[in-house]
Amino acid sequence: AAVKRMTTEKKLGGKQDVFSNLDYKKVIREVWSFNLKKEMEIIMDLVDDYPYIAMDTEFPGIVARPVGPFRNSQEYHYRLLKCNVDLLKIIQMGLCFCDEKGGLPPGGVCVWQFNFRFDLNEDMYARDSIEFLKKSGINFDRHAKDGIDVMEFAEMLITSAIVLNDDVKWVTFHSGYDYGYLLRLLTCEKLPEREDDFFNLLKTYCPCVYDVRYLMKSCDLKGGLSGVAARLAIKRCGPQHQAGSDSLLTQSVFFRLKDEFFKGNLDDELHMNHLYGLGSKQQKRLAAGIGQKTKELPSSASTSPKMVAKTQSLDK
């Protein structure tokens, strides 16, 4: 393993990950209902100078699937996303802030992990996904007691200059569900019936989007976030499968790819505003959405809710 890591670093010019020596307890700020306003004020002061925002979410799995007919697989995958995002509540959102060179904000904290109100006694979820998130360290008792109200968060986010801002660059990994939950939160409405309307809505709130998994197609890289980070000799900071740590790792992988595979410059015509697993240049504009029914999915082995969702996406 050591030889493999050394070989990887040699290919990368010996460059080390700038995030690797961080103490996650110092760089990841936990945000609950009682400190939401204070932390959002800090973020609003940062966004102009640190406009690269990596986002990750945690959500309660996949509980339903759409029933067709569908014109093609792309339509099915969007309908799968829509029916689950419409039914479920977000649990966590992580936002990691950097400047255009990958530099971190002063003061130590660069990640804010927002913990939303989620009550296992009231809210819908996939049991295996919740058990998985518990093992990752998510405290659902505290989410029920101190979790952030999504409407209060949405009101602050709308006025924060984080969304609806052409200067902000959003960085995510295989992120259809991440943006689905973000748009559901911002609009307080169900996702659009048609996929093209979903992308139009996304472009309104997040005009500039980079999906790292989509960028990997140009780098001859495959796999999940942790796997590609290991291949690039990037160390994780913080617990896996929590939104704060995953957003931090996403940011680190993005800047490593940008520097080493794209020589510091991304062609936005080719790489911006594509989400891996959704949409297609070959896909015709979808007509009016088809009505659908939903039914429960069978229980499966204990798996990350995000991985369950992603295995439902288009084949890699």
Side-chain angles (χ1 to χ4, degrees), residues 16-29 96-98 102-112 234-239 244-245 247-252:
Q16 297 291 319
D17 172 31
V18 297
F19 300 114
S20 60
N21 295 320
L22 298 175
D23 181 347
Y24 80 90
K25 293 182 179 179
K26 295 180 180 179
V27 300
I28 300 177
R29 178 68 50 80
C96 175
F97 291 77
C98 287
L104 303 178
V109 177
C110 62
V111 179
W112 279 260
I234 297 172
K235 296 180 182 178
R236 174 181 289 276
C237 175
S245 174
S247 68
L248 183 61
L249 191 63
T250 298
Q251 191 82 286
S252 183

PDB file of all heavy atoms in Angstrom, residues 16-29 96-98 102-112 234-239 244-245 247-252:
ATOM      1  N   GLN A  16       1.156  17.094  -2.164  1.00  0.00           N
ATOM      2  CA  GLN A  16       0.405  16.554  -1.044  1.00  0.00           C
ATOM      3  C   GLN A  16      -0.940  17.266  -0.908  1.00  0.00           C
ATOM      4  O   GLN A  16      -1.075  18.432  -1.250  1.00  0.00           O
ATOM      5  CB  GLN A  16       1.202  16.727   0.261  1.00  0.00           C
ATOM      6  CG  GLN A  16       2.517  15.974   0.278  1.00  0.00           C
ATOM      7  CD  GLN A  16       2.313  14.471   0.320  1.00  0.00           C
ATOM      8  OE1 GLN A  16       1.444  13.980   1.019  1.00  0.00           O
ATOM      9  NE2 GLN A  16       3.111  13.759  -0.439  1.00  0.00           N
ATOM     10  N   ASP A  17      -1.914  16.571  -0.418  1.00  0.00           N
ATOM     11  CA  ASP A  17      -3.233  17.143  -0.195  1.00  0.00           C
ATOM     12  C   ASP A  17      -3.172  18.177   0.922  1.00  0.00           C
ATOM     13  O   ASP A  17      -2.716  17.884   2.031  1.00  0.00           O
ATOM     14  CB  ASP A  17      -4.191  16.007   0.166  1.00  0.00           C
ATOM     15  CG  ASP A  17      -5.546  16.522   0.595  1.00  0.00           C
ATOM     16  OD1 ASP A  17      -5.947  17.575   0.097  1.00  0.00           O
ATOM     17  OD2 ASP A  17      -6.186  15.859   1.424  1.00  0.00           O
ATOM     18  N   VAL A  18      -3.655  19.391   0.651  1.00  0.00           N
ATOM     19  CA  VAL A  18      -3.579  20.464   1.641  1.00  0.00           C
ATOM     20  C   VAL A  18      -4.509  20.221   2.821  1.00  0.00           C
ATOM     21  O   VAL A  18      -4.353  20.821   3.876  1.00  0.00           O
ATOM     22  CB  VAL A  18      -3.911  21.837   1.005  1.00  0.00           C
ATOM     23  CG1 VAL A  18      -2.886  22.194  -0.057  1.00  0.00           C
ATOM     24  CG2 VAL A  18      -5.303  21.832   0.424  1.00  0.00           C
ATOM     25  N   PHE A  19      -5.485  19.334   2.655  1.00  0.00           N
ATOM     26  CA  PHE A  19      -6.431  19.059   3.722  1.00  0.00           C
ATOM     27  C   PHE A  19      -5.979  17.925   4.637  1.00  0.00           C
ATOM     28  O   PHE A  19      -6.603  17.665   5.656  1.00  0.00           O
ATOM     29  CB  PHE A  19      -7.798  18.686   3.141  1.00  0.00           C
ATOM     30  CG  PHE A  19      -8.408  19.747   2.283  1.00  0.00           C
ATOM     31  CD1 PHE A  19      -8.591  19.545   0.932  1.00  0.00           C
ATOM     32  CD2 PHE A  19      -8.810  20.953   2.830  1.00  0.00           C
ATOM     33  CE1 PHE A  19      -9.170  20.522   0.134  1.00  0.00           C
ATOM     34  CE2 PHE A  19      -9.387  21.935   2.042  1.00  0.00           C
ATOM     35  CZ  PHE A  19      -9.561  21.721   0.698  1.00  0.00           C
ATOM     36  N   SER A  20      -4.902  17.223   4.291  1.00  0.00           N
ATOM     37  CA  SER A  20      -4.602  15.945   4.939  1.00  0.00           C
ATOM     38  C   SER A  20      -4.223  16.071   6.406  1.00  0.00           C
ATOM     39  O   SER A  20      -4.426  15.134   7.173  1.00  0.00           O
ATOM     40  CB  SER A  20      -3.477  15.229   4.180  1.00  0.00           C
ATOM     41  OG  SER A  20      -2.300  16.018   4.176  1.00  0.00           O
ATOM     42  N   ASN A  21      -3.660  17.191   6.817  1.00  0.00           N
ATOM     43  CA  ASN A  21      -3.204  17.326   8.201  1.00  0.00           C
ATOM     44  C   ASN A  21      -4.160  18.142   9.072  1.00  0.00           C
ATOM     45  O   ASN A  21      -3.808  18.558  10.167  1.00  0.00           O
ATOM     46  CB  ASN A  21      -1.809  17.973   8.229  1.00  0.00           C
ATOM     47  CG  ASN A  21      -0.759  17.085   7.581  1.00  0.00           C
ATOM     48  OD1 ASN A  21      -0.764  15.864   7.758  1.00  0.00           O
ATOM     49  ND2 ASN A  21       0.134  17.691   6.809  1.00  0.00           N
ATOM     50  N   LEU A  22      -5.367  18.343   8.606  1.00  0.00           N
ATOM     51  CA  LEU A  22      -6.339  19.119   9.365  1.00  0.00           C
ATOM     52  C   LEU A  22      -6.968  18.279  10.467  1.00  0.00           C
ATOM     53  O   LEU A  22      -7.139  17.077  10.335  1.00  0.00           O
ATOM     54  CB  LEU A  22      -7.438  19.649   8.441  1.00  0.00           C
ATOM     55  CG  LEU A  22      -6.993  20.607   7.326  1.00  0.00           C
ATOM     56  CD1 LEU A  22      -8.182  20.936   6.435  1.00  0.00           C
ATOM     57  CD2 LEU A  22      -6.386  21.882   7.898  1.00  0.00           C
ATOM     58  N   ASP A  23      -7.330  18.935  11.546  1.00  0.00           N
ATOM     59  CA  ASP A  23      -8.063  18.303  12.640  1.00  0.00           C
ATOM     60  C   ASP A  23      -9.543  18.555  12.398  1.00  0.00           C
ATOM     61  O   ASP A  23     -10.006  19.688  12.466  1.00  0.00           O
ATOM     62  CB  ASP A  23      -7.617  18.907  13.974  1.00  0.00           C
ATOM     63  CG  ASP A  23      -8.326  18.281  15.179  1.00  0.00           C
ATOM     64  OD1 ASP A  23      -9.326  17.561  14.980  1.00  0.00           O
ATOM     65  OD2 ASP A  23      -7.884  18.525  16.308  1.00  0.00           O
ATOM     66  N   TYR A  24     -10.276  17.485  12.102  1.00  0.00           N
ATOM     67  CA  TYR A  24     -11.669  17.674  11.702  1.00  0.00           C
ATOM     68  C   TYR A  24     -12.509  18.338  12.785  1.00  0.00           C
ATOM     69  O   TYR A  24     -13.493  19.029  12.490  1.00  0.00           O
ATOM     70  CB  TYR A  24     -12.296  16.350  11.259  1.00  0.00           C
ATOM     71  CG  TYR A  24     -12.762  15.437  12.356  1.00  0.00           C
ATOM     72  CD1 TYR A  24     -14.059  15.514  12.858  1.00  0.00           C
ATOM     73  CD2 TYR A  24     -11.918  14.467  12.891  1.00  0.00           C
ATOM     74  CE1 TYR A  24     -14.493  14.669  13.864  1.00  0.00           C
ATOM     75  CE2 TYR A  24     -12.342  13.615  13.891  1.00  0.00           C
ATOM     76  CZ  TYR A  24     -13.633  13.717  14.377  1.00  0.00           C
ATOM     77  OH  TYR A  24     -14.057  12.876  15.372  1.00  0.00           O
ATOM     78  N   LYS A  25     -12.131  18.164  14.051  1.00  0.00           N
ATOM     79  CA  LYS A  25     -12.892  18.791  15.133  1.00  0.00           C
ATOM     80  C   LYS A  25     -12.716  20.308  15.132  1.00  0.00           C
ATOM     81  O   LYS A  25     -13.541  21.031  15.687  1.00  0.00           O
ATOM     82  CB  LYS A  25     -12.456  18.219  16.476  1.00  0.00           C
ATOM     83  CG  LYS A  25     -12.824  16.744  16.651  1.00  0.00           C
ATOM     84  CD  LYS A  25     -12.418  16.230  18.010  1.00  0.00           C
ATOM     85  CE  LYS A  25     -12.806  14.767  18.183  1.00  0.00           C
ATOM     86  NZ  LYS A  25     -12.390  14.236  19.497  1.00  0.00           N
ATOM     87  N   LYS A  26     -11.656  20.778  14.483  1.00  0.00           N
ATOM     88  CA  LYS A  26     -11.407  22.213  14.420  1.00  0.00           C
ATOM     89  C   LYS A  26     -11.876  22.840  13.109  1.00  0.00           C
ATOM     90  O   LYS A  26     -12.214  24.023  13.063  1.00  0.00           O
ATOM     91  CB  LYS A  26      -9.915  22.492  14.612  1.00  0.00           C
ATOM     92  CG  LYS A  26      -9.399  22.111  15.999  1.00  0.00           C
ATOM     93  CD  LYS A  26      -7.913  22.413  16.135  1.00  0.00           C
ATOM     94  CE  LYS A  26      -7.398  22.037  17.527  1.00  0.00           C
ATOM     95  NZ  LYS A  26      -5.941  22.305  17.661  1.00  0.00           N
ATOM     96  N   VAL A  27     -11.877  22.068  12.032  1.00  0.00           N
ATOM     97  CA  VAL A  27     -12.206  22.655  10.730  1.00  0.00           C
ATOM     98  C   VAL A  27     -13.667  22.459  10.348  1.00  0.00           C
ATOM     99  O   VAL A  27     -14.186  23.170   9.483  1.00  0.00           O
ATOM    100  CB  VAL A  27     -11.295  22.099   9.613  1.00  0.00           C
ATOM    101  CG1 VAL A  27      -9.842  22.395   9.905  1.00  0.00           C
ATOM    102  CG2 VAL A  27     -11.523  20.612   9.384  1.00  0.00           C
ATOM    103  N   ILE A  28     -14.358  21.469  10.977  1.00  0.00           N
ATOM    104  CA  ILE A  28     -15.767  21.227  10.674  1.00  0.00           C
ATOM    105  C   ILE A  28     -16.616  21.779  11.814  1.00  0.00           C
ATOM    106  O   ILE A  28     -16.521  21.323  12.952  1.00  0.00           O
ATOM    107  CB  ILE A  28     -16.050  19.732  10.464  1.00  0.00           C
ATOM    108  CG1 ILE A  28     -15.218  19.185   9.293  1.00  0.00           C
ATOM    109  CG2 ILE A  28     -17.539  19.505  10.203  1.00  0.00           C
ATOM    110  CD1 ILE A  28     -15.373  17.699   9.061  1.00  0.00           C
ATOM    111  N   ARG A  29     -17.441  22.768  11.512  1.00  0.00           N
ATOM    112  CA  ARG A  29     -18.299  23.401  12.504  1.00  0.00           C
ATOM    113  C   ARG A  29     -19.687  22.754  12.463  1.00  0.00           C
ATOM    114  O   ARG A  29     -20.341  22.745  11.437  1.00  0.00           O
ATOM    115  CB  ARG A  29     -18.411  24.895  12.220  1.00  0.00           C
ATOM    116  CG  ARG A  29     -19.324  25.684  13.156  1.00  0.00           C
ATOM    117  CD  ARG A  29     -18.785  25.782  14.567  1.00  0.00           C
ATOM    118  NE  ARG A  29     -17.419  26.228  14.657  1.00  0.00           N
ATOM    119  CZ  ARG A  29     -17.017  27.495  14.582  1.00  0.00           C
ATOM    120  NH1 ARG A  29     -17.899  28.462  14.396  1.00  0.00           N
ATOM    121  NH2 ARG A  29     -15.744  27.807  14.712  1.00  0.00           N
ATOM    122  N   CYS A  96     -18.359  23.200   2.200  1.00  0.00           N
ATOM    123  CA  CYS A  96     -16.928  23.468   2.379  1.00  0.00           C
ATOM    124  C   CYS A  96     -16.527  24.624   1.468  1.00  0.00           C
ATOM    125  O   CYS A  96     -16.783  24.581   0.263  1.00  0.00           O
ATOM    126  CB  CYS A  96     -16.112  22.211   2.042  1.00  0.00           C
ATOM    127  SG  CYS A  96     -14.330  22.459   2.099  1.00  0.00           S
ATOM    128  N   PHE A  97     -15.878  25.645   2.029  1.00  0.00           N
ATOM    129  CA  PHE A  97     -15.562  26.872   1.307  1.00  0.00           C
ATOM    130  C   PHE A  97     -14.074  26.973   1.002  1.00  0.00           C
ATOM    131  O   PHE A  97     -13.231  26.775   1.875  1.00  0.00           O
ATOM    132  CB  PHE A  97     -15.989  28.087   2.133  1.00  0.00           C
ATOM    133  CG  PHE A  97     -17.475  28.235   2.263  1.00  0.00           C
ATOM    134  CD1 PHE A  97     -18.195  27.433   3.141  1.00  0.00           C
ATOM    135  CD2 PHE A  97     -18.168  29.153   1.491  1.00  0.00           C
ATOM    136  CE1 PHE A  97     -19.571  27.558   3.264  1.00  0.00           C
ATOM    137  CE2 PHE A  97     -19.546  29.279   1.599  1.00  0.00           C
ATOM    138  CZ  PHE A  97     -20.249  28.483   2.488  1.00  0.00           C
ATOM    139  N   CYS A  98     -13.763  27.312  -0.277  1.00  0.00           N
ATOM    140  CA  CYS A  98     -12.387  27.545  -0.706  1.00  0.00           C
ATOM    141  C   CYS A  98     -12.354  28.712  -1.680  1.00  0.00           C
ATOM    142  O   CYS A  98     -13.388  29.093  -2.241  1.00  0.00           O
ATOM    143  CB  CYS A  98     -11.818  26.311  -1.408  1.00  0.00           C
ATOM    144  SG  CYS A  98     -11.430  24.925  -0.325  1.00  0.00           S
ATOM    145  N   GLY A 102      -8.067  26.815  -4.156  1.00  0.00           N
ATOM    146  CA  GLY A 102      -8.176  25.772  -3.146  1.00  0.00           C
ATOM    147  C   GLY A 102      -7.727  26.216  -1.776  1.00  0.00           C
ATOM    148  O   GLY A 102      -7.582  25.387  -0.868  1.00  0.00           O
ATOM    149  N   GLY A 103      -7.505  27.515  -1.601  1.00  0.00           N
ATOM    150  CA  GLY A 103      -7.110  28.036  -0.300  1.00  0.00           C
ATOM    151  C   GLY A 103      -8.273  28.058   0.671  1.00  0.00           C
ATOM    152  O   GLY A 103      -9.427  28.263   0.282  1.00  0.00           O
ATOM    153  N   LEU A 104      -7.957  27.873   1.949  1.00  0.00           N
ATOM    154  CA  LEU A 104      -8.984  27.797   2.984  1.00  0.00           C
ATOM    155  C   LEU A 104      -9.195  29.145   3.667  1.00  0.00           C
ATOM    156  O   LEU A 104      -8.279  29.972   3.728  1.00  0.00           O
ATOM    157  CB  LEU A 104      -8.573  26.763   4.037  1.00  0.00           C
ATOM    158  CG  LEU A 104      -8.314  25.340   3.530  1.00  0.00           C
ATOM    159  CD1 LEU A 104      -7.862  24.442   4.679  1.00  0.00           C
ATOM    160  CD2 LEU A 104      -9.540  24.770   2.857  1.00  0.00           C
ATOM    161  N   PRO A 105     -10.367  29.373   4.219  1.00  0.00           N
ATOM    162  CA  PRO A 105     -10.612  30.616   4.964  1.00  0.00           C
ATOM    163  C   PRO A 105      -9.729  30.702   6.204  1.00  0.00           C
ATOM    164  O   PRO A 105      -9.297  29.674   6.744  1.00  0.00           O
ATOM    165  CB  PRO A 105     -12.097  30.501   5.366  1.00  0.00           C
ATOM    166  CG  PRO A 105     -12.678  29.479   4.459  1.00  0.00           C
ATOM    167  CD  PRO A 105     -11.569  28.527   4.144  1.00  0.00           C
ATOM    168  N   PRO A 106      -9.449  31.909   6.668  1.00  0.00           N
ATOM    169  CA  PRO A 106      -8.661  32.059   7.896  1.00  0.00           C
ATOM    170  C   PRO A 106      -9.469  31.640   9.119  1.00  0.00           C
ATOM    171  O   PRO A 106     -10.698  31.595   9.081  1.00  0.00           O
ATOM    172  CB  PRO A 106      -8.365  33.563   7.933  1.00  0.00           C
ATOM    173  CG  PRO A 106      -9.505  34.182   7.186  1.00  0.00           C
ATOM    174  CD  PRO A 106      -9.863  33.212   6.109  1.00  0.00           C
ATOM    175  N   GLY A 107      -8.773  31.318  10.178  1.00  0.00           N
ATOM    176  CA  GLY A 107      -9.460  31.007  11.426  1.00  0.00           C
ATOM    177  C   GLY A 107      -9.689  29.536  11.673  1.00  0.00           C
ATOM    178  O   GLY A 107     -10.181  29.147  12.729  1.00  0.00           O
ATOM    179  N   GLY A 108      -9.342  28.692  10.684  1.00  0.00           N
ATOM    180  CA  GLY A 108      -9.430  27.258  10.915  1.00  0.00           C
ATOM    181  C   GLY A 108     -10.657  26.589  10.336  1.00  0.00           C
ATOM    182  O   GLY A 108     -10.567  25.570   9.662  1.00  0.00           O
ATOM    183  N   VAL A 109     -11.853  27.136  10.562  1.00  0.00           N
ATOM    184  CA  VAL A 109     -13.080  26.487  10.100  1.00  0.00           C
ATOM    185  C   VAL A 109     -13.272  26.737   8.600  1.00  0.00           C
ATOM    186  O   VAL A 109     -13.224  27.876   8.137  1.00  0.00           O
ATOM    187  CB  VAL A 109     -14.314  27.009  10.874  1.00  0.00           C
ATOM    188  CG1 VAL A 109     -15.593  26.362  10.326  1.00  0.00           C
ATOM    189  CG2 VAL A 109     -14.170  26.721  12.356  1.00  0.00           C
ATOM    190  N   CYS A 110     -13.468  25.648   7.859  1.00  0.00           N
ATOM    191  CA  CYS A 110     -13.748  25.777   6.421  1.00  0.00           C
ATOM    192  C   CYS A 110     -14.985  24.985   6.015  1.00  0.00           C
ATOM    193  O   CYS A 110     -15.420  25.061   4.869  1.00  0.00           O
ATOM    194  CB  CYS A 110     -12.543  25.340   5.589  1.00  0.00           C
ATOM    195  SG  CYS A 110     -12.063  23.610   5.812  1.00  0.00           S
ATOM    196  N   VAL A 111     -15.543  24.211   6.949  1.00  0.00           N
ATOM    197  CA  VAL A 111     -16.703  23.369   6.655  1.00  0.00           C
ATOM    198  C   VAL A 111     -17.783  23.619   7.696  1.00  0.00           C
ATOM    199  O   VAL A 111     -17.500  23.679   8.900  1.00  0.00           O
ATOM    200  CB  VAL A 111     -16.332  21.873   6.672  1.00  0.00           C
ATOM    201  CG1 VAL A 111     -17.562  21.012   6.377  1.00  0.00           C
ATOM    202  CG2 VAL A 111     -15.224  21.576   5.673  1.00  0.00           C
ATOM    203  N   TRP A 112     -19.004  23.760   7.201  1.00  0.00           N
ATOM    204  CA  TRP A 112     -20.152  23.873   8.097  1.00  0.00           C
ATOM    205  C   TRP A 112     -21.072  22.686   7.837  1.00  0.00           C
ATOM    206  O   TRP A 112     -21.499  22.464   6.704  1.00  0.00           O
ATOM    207  CB  TRP A 112     -20.887  25.186   7.854  1.00  0.00           C
ATOM    208  CG  TRP A 112     -20.236  26.338   8.541  1.00  0.00           C
ATOM    209  CD1 TRP A 112     -20.599  26.923   9.723  1.00  0.00           C
ATOM    210  CD2 TRP A 112     -19.076  27.058   8.094  1.00  0.00           C
ATOM    211  NE1 TRP A 112     -19.744  27.947  10.042  1.00  0.00           N
ATOM    212  CE2 TRP A 112     -18.793  28.058   9.057  1.00  0.00           C
ATOM    213  CE3 TRP A 112     -18.232  26.956   6.971  1.00  0.00           C
ATOM    214  CZ2 TRP A 112     -17.730  28.940   8.936  1.00  0.00           C
ATOM    215  CZ3 TRP A 112     -17.174  27.821   6.855  1.00  0.00           C
ATOM    216  CH2 TRP A 112     -16.927  28.808   7.826  1.00  0.00           C
ATOM    217  N   ILE A 234      -5.103  11.191  -1.386  1.00  0.00           N
ATOM    218  CA  ILE A 234      -5.746  12.213  -0.570  1.00  0.00           C
ATOM    219  C   ILE A 234      -6.329  11.550   0.670  1.00  0.00           C
ATOM    220  O   ILE A 234      -7.069  10.573   0.567  1.00  0.00           O
ATOM    221  CB  ILE A 234      -6.869  12.918  -1.357  1.00  0.00           C
ATOM    222  CG1 ILE A 234      -6.276  13.654  -2.565  1.00  0.00           C
ATOM    223  CG2 ILE A 234      -7.637  13.889  -0.468  1.00  0.00           C
ATOM    224  CD1 ILE A 234      -7.322  14.228  -3.502  1.00  0.00           C
ATOM    225  N   LYS A 235      -6.009  12.091   1.821  1.00  0.00           N
ATOM    226  CA  LYS A 235      -6.506  11.543   3.079  1.00  0.00           C
ATOM    227  C   LYS A 235      -7.817  12.210   3.478  1.00  0.00           C
ATOM    228  O   LYS A 235      -7.994  13.403   3.307  1.00  0.00           O
ATOM    229  CB  LYS A 235      -5.476  11.753   4.190  1.00  0.00           C
ATOM    230  CG  LYS A 235      -4.156  11.009   3.986  1.00  0.00           C
ATOM    231  CD  LYS A 235      -3.203  11.286   5.138  1.00  0.00           C
ATOM    232  CE  LYS A 235      -1.873  10.586   4.932  1.00  0.00           C
ATOM    233  NZ  LYS A 235      -0.921  10.893   6.049  1.00  0.00           N
ATOM    234  N   ARG A 236      -8.710  11.410   4.019  1.00  0.00           N
ATOM    235  CA  ARG A 236      -9.975  11.945   4.532  1.00  0.00           C
ATOM    236  C   ARG A 236      -9.750  12.646   5.859  1.00  0.00           C
ATOM    237  O   ARG A 236      -8.943  12.212   6.685  1.00  0.00           O
ATOM    238  CB  ARG A 236     -10.995  10.815   4.706  1.00  0.00           C
ATOM    239  CG  ARG A 236     -12.293  11.275   5.380  1.00  0.00           C
ATOM    240  CD  ARG A 236     -13.251  10.125   5.545  1.00  0.00           C
ATOM    241  NE  ARG A 236     -13.817   9.694   4.273  1.00  0.00           N
ATOM    242  CZ  ARG A 236     -14.863  10.256   3.695  1.00  0.00           C
ATOM    243  NH1 ARG A 236     -15.471  11.299   4.273  1.00  0.00           N
ATOM    244  NH2 ARG A 236     -15.328   9.800   2.552  1.00  0.00           N
ATOM    245  N   CYS A 237     -10.485  13.709   6.086  1.00  0.00           N
ATOM    246  CA  CYS A 237     -10.495  14.420   7.361  1.00  0.00           C
ATOM    247  C   CYS A 237     -11.902  14.325   7.930  1.00  0.00           C
ATOM    248  O   CYS A 237     -12.842  14.890   7.365  1.00  0.00           O
ATOM    249  CB  CYS A 237     -10.088  15.878   7.166  1.00  0.00           C
ATOM    250  SG  CYS A 237     -10.193  16.909   8.648  1.00  0.00           S
ATOM    251  N   GLY A 238     -12.063  13.587   9.016  1.00  0.00           N
ATOM    252  CA  GLY A 238     -13.382  13.439   9.623  1.00  0.00           C
ATOM    253  C   GLY A 238     -14.028  12.116   9.282  1.00  0.00           C
ATOM    254  O   GLY A 238     -13.526  11.344   8.464  1.00  0.00           O
ATOM    255  N   PRO A 239     -15.162  11.815   9.913  1.00  0.00           N
ATOM    256  CA  PRO A 239     -15.831  10.525   9.733  1.00  0.00           C
ATOM    257  C   PRO A 239     -16.510  10.398   8.373  1.00  0.00           C
ATOM    258  O   PRO A 239     -17.175  11.316   7.911  1.00  0.00           O
ATOM    259  CB  PRO A 239     -16.871  10.496  10.865  1.00  0.00           C
ATOM    260  CG  PRO A 239     -17.117  11.932  11.188  1.00  0.00           C
ATOM    261  CD  PRO A 239     -15.832  12.655  10.937  1.00  0.00           C
ATOM    262  N   GLY A 244     -20.278  16.786   6.381  1.00  0.00           N
ATOM    263  CA  GLY A 244     -19.160  17.714   6.490  1.00  0.00           C
ATOM    264  C   GLY A 244     -17.869  17.128   5.958  1.00  0.00           C
ATOM    265  O   GLY A 244     -17.188  17.732   5.118  1.00  0.00           O
ATOM    266  N   SER A 245     -17.517  15.932   6.414  1.00  0.00           N
ATOM    267  CA  SER A 245     -16.301  15.274   5.961  1.00  0.00           C
ATOM    268  C   SER A 245     -16.356  14.978   4.468  1.00  0.00           C
ATOM    269  O   SER A 245     -15.368  15.155   3.744  1.00  0.00           O
ATOM    270  CB  SER A 245     -16.094  13.974   6.743  1.00  0.00           C
ATOM    271  OG  SER A 245     -14.994  13.248   6.236  1.00  0.00           O
ATOM    272  N   SER A 247     -18.042  16.584   2.138  1.00  0.00           N
ATOM    273  CA  SER A 247     -17.900  17.808   1.349  1.00  0.00           C
ATOM    274  C   SER A 247     -16.444  18.262   1.312  1.00  0.00           C
ATOM    275  O   SER A 247     -15.953  18.737   0.280  1.00  0.00           O
ATOM    276  CB  SER A 247     -18.795  18.919   1.907  1.00  0.00           C
ATOM    277  OG  SER A 247     -18.366  19.368   3.178  1.00  0.00           O
ATOM    278  N   LEU A 248     -15.749  18.105   2.419  1.00  0.00           N
ATOM    279  CA  LEU A 248     -14.326  18.450   2.479  1.00  0.00           C
ATOM    280  C   LEU A 248     -13.508  17.575   1.542  1.00  0.00           C
ATOM    281  O   LEU A 248     -12.636  18.060   0.808  1.00  0.00           O
ATOM    282  CB  LEU A 248     -13.836  18.297   3.923  1.00  0.00           C
ATOM    283  CG  LEU A 248     -12.395  18.677   4.255  1.00  0.00           C
ATOM    284  CD1 LEU A 248     -12.144  20.142   3.956  1.00  0.00           C
ATOM    285  CD2 LEU A 248     -12.098  18.375   5.714  1.00  0.00           C
ATOM    286  N   LEU A 249     -13.800  16.281   1.523  1.00  0.00           N
ATOM    287  CA  LEU A 249     -13.085  15.365   0.640  1.00  0.00           C
ATOM    288  C   LEU A 249     -13.419  15.654  -0.820  1.00  0.00           C
ATOM    289  O   LEU A 249     -12.542  15.593  -1.692  1.00  0.00           O
ATOM    290  CB  LEU A 249     -13.438  13.918   0.999  1.00  0.00           C
ATOM    291  CG  LEU A 249     -12.576  12.838   0.347  1.00  0.00           C
ATOM    292  CD1 LEU A 249     -11.119  12.960   0.785  1.00  0.00           C
ATOM    293  CD2 LEU A 249     -13.101  11.437   0.694  1.00  0.00           C
ATOM    294  N   THR A 250     -14.660  15.978  -1.093  1.00  0.00           N
ATOM    295  CA  THR A 250     -15.067  16.332  -2.455  1.00  0.00           C
ATOM    296  C   THR A 250     -14.294  17.546  -2.953  1.00  0.00           C
ATOM    297  O   THR A 250     -13.813  17.573  -4.093  1.00  0.00           O
ATOM    298  CB  THR A 250     -16.583  16.626  -2.501  1.00  0.00           C
ATOM    299  OG1 THR A 250     -17.308  15.452  -2.117  1.00  0.00           O
ATOM    300  CG2 THR A 250     -17.014  17.055  -3.899  1.00  0.00           C
ATOM    301  N   GLN A 251     -14.154  18.549  -2.096  1.00  0.00           N
ATOM    302  CA  GLN A 251     -13.410  19.752  -2.467  1.00  0.00           C
ATOM    303  C   GLN A 251     -11.952  19.428  -2.769  1.00  0.00           C
ATOM    304  O   GLN A 251     -11.370  19.899  -3.750  1.00  0.00           O
ATOM    305  CB  GLN A 251     -13.496  20.775  -1.319  1.00  0.00           C
ATOM    306  CG  GLN A 251     -13.001  22.163  -1.653  1.00  0.00           C
ATOM    307  CD  GLN A 251     -14.035  22.999  -2.378  1.00  0.00           C
ATOM    308  OE1 GLN A 251     -14.301  22.771  -3.558  1.00  0.00           O
ATOM    309  NE2 GLN A 251     -14.596  23.984  -1.696  1.00  0.00           N
ATOM    310  N   SER A 252     -11.350  18.598  -1.932  1.00  0.00           N
ATOM    311  CA  SER A 252      -9.952  18.235  -2.116  1.00  0.00           C
ATOM    312  C   SER A 252      -9.741  17.468  -3.409  1.00  0.00           C
ATOM    313  O   SER A 252      -8.790  17.720  -4.157  1.00  0.00           O
ATOM    314  CB  SER A 252      -9.478  17.395  -0.919  1.00  0.00           C
ATOM    315  OG  SER A 252      -8.107  17.090  -1.027  1.00  0.00           O
TER     316      SER A 252
END
